[in-house]
Amino acid sequence: MKIKKIFNNNVILLADEHQNEMIVMGKGIGFNKHNAEFVDFSKVDKRFVLDKGNTDKLVGLVSEIPAEHLELSHEIIEYAKRKLSVKLSDNIYITLTDHISFALVRLEEGLQIKNVLLWEIKKFYKEEFRIALGALDLIERKLGIRLPEDEAGSIALHFVNAQHTGQDMRHTVTVTRIVNDLANIVKYHYGIKIDEESLNYSRFMTHLKYFAYRMLQNELIPEEQDSLYDQVREKYPEAYVCTQKLVNYLNHNYNKKLTNEEMFYLVIHIQRLTSREI
């Protein structure tokens, strides 16, 4: 591959004869080099091989930010991949790098943005938030700068978002709000203290998250001819009444009408959460 663009001594853009591109990093890899020259791959420490659209965006971003911010973001993403054991969308290399760089600039300028969803993020995305705190530790070790806990919340949302094919971040924020509101409706309806460390609570929250994503994408479980919804409605009347409150909330706030199949699963999860019968 030949050099297509040199960002600085340590970051360059390569392209092959088919114009497939790759951003590479390495100490002194671009020193005294020129476009169209070949690169010494023994000096390459990190490679960014993304789809064409994301490569173009990353090239634009790298042109505007310090190379160390790109390197930091790469280390954080690789760390998150190992800890979460999931595939993350390539889009996170752009969105998270941009976020971290801007957060560092804002901190330097004395501007701190409050994360209004911090409590919900810590509660609903515990593993992602724990990894995000590790990201703050890494940034502090590398740069001697400690970003506030609010930024850990934002970084955690990037991890959550990247697990859902890198959708618009506003989508993930909306899901978080929906999950929080639905969980609160259930708690207030039953007027009981729910063990948030229990397996049933974890199952319930996981179901709500994926349900909310499906709903916003208009991919609700379709109606089944032999639905069991009527049976669970009669067997678990209190869970059914509670489910109707969730249905009303979603219809009023998001103009969404649930299928009987979706309501069936909500009734089952609510019953399991609030009793020992299932």
Side-chain angles (χ1 to χ4, degrees):
M1 299 185 81
K2 293 182 179 180
I3 296 174
K4 185 173 182 179
K5 184 173 183 178
I6 300 172
F7 298 105
N8 55 47
N9 285 342
N10 304 314
V11 185
I12 58 178
L13 174 67
L14 304 178
D16 62 17
E17 65 272 20
H18 303 295
Q19 291 305 302
N20 296 313
E21 296 178 339
M22 173 193 303
I23 294 177
V24 297
M25 300 181 68
K27 189 172 182 181
I29 197 171
F31 182 68
N32 271 344
K33 290 289 185 180
H34 302 88
N35 287 353
E37 290 185 0
F38 288 98
V39 70
D40 181 1
F41 268 88
S42 67
K43 292 185 176 181
V44 173
D45 295 325
K46 297 179 177 66
R47 307 179 187 190
F48 298 84
V49 184
L50 312 177
D51 62 68
K52 177 61 176 173
N54 280 324
T55 296
D56 291 343
K57 292 176 184 176
L58 190 58
V59 167
L61 183 59
V62 173
S63 302
E64 301 173 357
I65 67 173
E68 61 188 0
H69 293 181
L70 175 63
E71 186 171 1
L72 264 176
S73 180
H74 180 272
E75 288 189 43
I76 289 168
I77 292 166
E78 294 305 308
Y79 170 67
K81 284 181 177 179
R82 291 194 304 272
K83 293 295 184 180
L84 291 170
S85 298
V86 296
K87 179 176 173 55
L88 299 179
S89 166
D90 281 350
N91 195 49
I92 194 173
Y93 287 100
I94 294 96
T95 59
L96 185 60
T97 302
D98 187 42
H99 178 86
I100 289 174
S101 185
F102 187 45
L104 290 167
V105 170
R106 280 191 282 104
L107 188 67
E108 189 176 307
E109 295 176 350
L111 301 173
Q112 292 190 31
I113 298 176
K114 194 74 176 172
N115 190 330
V116 296
L117 290 176
L118 182 61
W119 183 84
E120 288 87 350
I121 295 166
K122 291 167 71 173
K123 184 176 181 182
F124 301 147
Y125 307 114
K126 293 181 180 179
E127 184 64 10
E128 287 85 356
F129 185 74
R130 185 184 65 78
I131 294 169
L133 288 176
L136 297 194
D137 293 338
L138 176 61
I139 293 169
E140 187 173 22
R141 286 198 303 273
K142 295 283 187 176
L143 303 181
I145 299 170
R146 184 70 186 184
L147 290 173
E149 189 181 50
D150 289 84
E151 290 299 337
S154 298
I155 291 171
L157 273 190
H158 279 282
F159 296 150
V160 173
N161 195 55
Q163 292 175 60
H164 295 276
T165 64
Q167 298 174 76
D168 190 306
M169 180 59 75
R170 289 173 297 182
H171 195 87
T172 301
V173 169
T174 301
V175 166
T176 304
R177 286 179 173 147
I178 289 172
V179 170
N180 182 56
D181 289 346
L182 294 182
N184 282 334
I185 290 171
V186 174
K187 291 176 185 176
Y188 292 138
H189 174 80
Y190 281 90
I192 58 175
K193 183 174 177 59
I194 295 173
D195 181 7
E196 297 182 358
E197 301 301 320
S198 69
L199 178 59
N200 283 339
Y201 183 78
S202 176
R203 287 170 176 158
F204 178 61
M205 299 309 291
T206 298
H207 176 75
L208 287 186
K209 288 175 206 173
Y210 286 102
F211 159 73
Y213 272 106
R214 289 198 313 275
M215 184 190 74
L216 292 177
Q217 293 173 336
N218 294 314
E219 295 177 355
L220 293 174
I221 300 173
E223 299 281 0
E224 293 286 343
Q225 199 166 20
D226 299 322
S227 174
L228 298 174
Y229 174 65
D230 289 337
Q231 292 183 35
V232 298
R233 180 175 61 179
E234 294 178 8
K235 187 173 183 180
Y236 308 119
E238 193 65 25
Y240 165 75
V241 171
C242 182
T243 296
Q244 289 308 300
K245 290 185 178 181
L246 305 188
V247 170
N248 292 337
Y249 159 83
L250 294 170
N251 183 260
H252 177 75
N253 291 281
Y254 299 95
N255 196 30
K256 298 292 184 179
K257 183 177 180 181
L258 303 193
T259 63
N260 284 349
E261 294 305 304
E262 291 290 2
M263 289 190 286
F264 164 79
Y265 284 110
L266 285 172
V267 171
I268 289 294
H269 278 283
I270 290 171
Q271 180 65 22
R272 174 183 281 172
L273 178 67
T274 56
S275 76
R276 299 177 180 272
E277 291 182 34
I278 296 180

